[in-house]
Amino acid sequence: EDGAPDGAEDRAAAEAAVASAEAVLATYADALSELARDKIPPSEAAVASLQASLLVCGVSSDSCASFTGAPDWAKVAAALAEALPTLAGEGKKDFVSLLAADADGSAPLEGVDVEAAKAAAEAAPGDDGFYAADALAKLGAWAAALAALWDLVKAQKQAADEAEAAAEAEDD
């Protein structure tokens, strides 16, 4: 009983962190749009960071790779351009609800692999002085906030399932 309010507070805090990151990200939409139109590929570090963030939107690394498996800037840029309307603007998706439903199993997201996104974000090199590094950092912060929310909801669901299983075992 005691854990429920804490869980609700933790979830509200995680959702607020995502909302805050989304608000900041919205101010960088133009910079990200400009980046998506850039024909000159950014550094490998910038591409890796961008790909890690796009994984949360359901953009697979495979769809952004050349036949060698290395990131293909034209494909990454096209994926960013396609994802941008879902991040800010009129086509904006409610990623909080979408990822929470995926985490608790009530509505799994097609093509979204949060575990892979977290691993890719951790492996992505840091800021290398790239001109859009600020925008990429904000996109990364948003993806990290969503991943943290996903982890929290998944842990809460697992704890609830275990408590329910324990209660059922006591009833037997």
Side-chain angles (χ1 to χ4, degrees):
E1 285 181 325
D2 234 343
D6 289 340
E9 285 176 18
D10 290 346
R11 181 156 175 178
E15 288 178 1
V18 172
S20 174
E22 280 182 348
V24 171
L25 184 59
T27 65
Y28 282 86
D30 288 344
L32 289 168
S33 182
E34 187 178 311
L35 174 61
R37 290 190 303 271
D38 199 338
K39 300 292 181 228
I40 300 169
S43 66
E44 285 182 34
V47 174
S49 170
L50 179 56
Q51 271 191 289
S53 299
L54 289 175
L55 283 169
V56 177
C57 304
V59 177
S60 74
S61 294
D62 292 346
S63 69
C64 293
S66 68
F67 67 92
T68 64
D72 180 315
W73 174 241
K75 291 179 179 180
V76 174
L80 174 60
E82 195 174 307
L84 274 174
T86 69
L87 303 176
E90 296 198 15
K92 186 178 176 313
K93 289 184 179 178
D94 181 359
F95 281 100
V96 167
S97 297
L98 290 171
L99 266 88
D102 181 70
D104 70 17
S106 60
L109 284 171
E110 188 69 32
V112 174
D113 186 344
V114 178
E115 292 295 344
K118 292 188 316 187
E122 287 173 15
D127 176 11
D128 60 358
F130 174 59
Y131 78 88
D134 254 9
L136 289 180
K138 302 311 181 223
L139 184 62
W142 167 80
L146 276 172
L149 171 67
W150 186 84
D151 282 342
L152 178 72
V153 171
K154 196 153 188 77
Q156 288 175 342
K157 171 72 171 135
Q158 185 175 354
D161 288 350
E162 288 170 1
E164 188 177 315
E168 285 176 11
E170 284 178 18
D171 290 346
D172 290 346

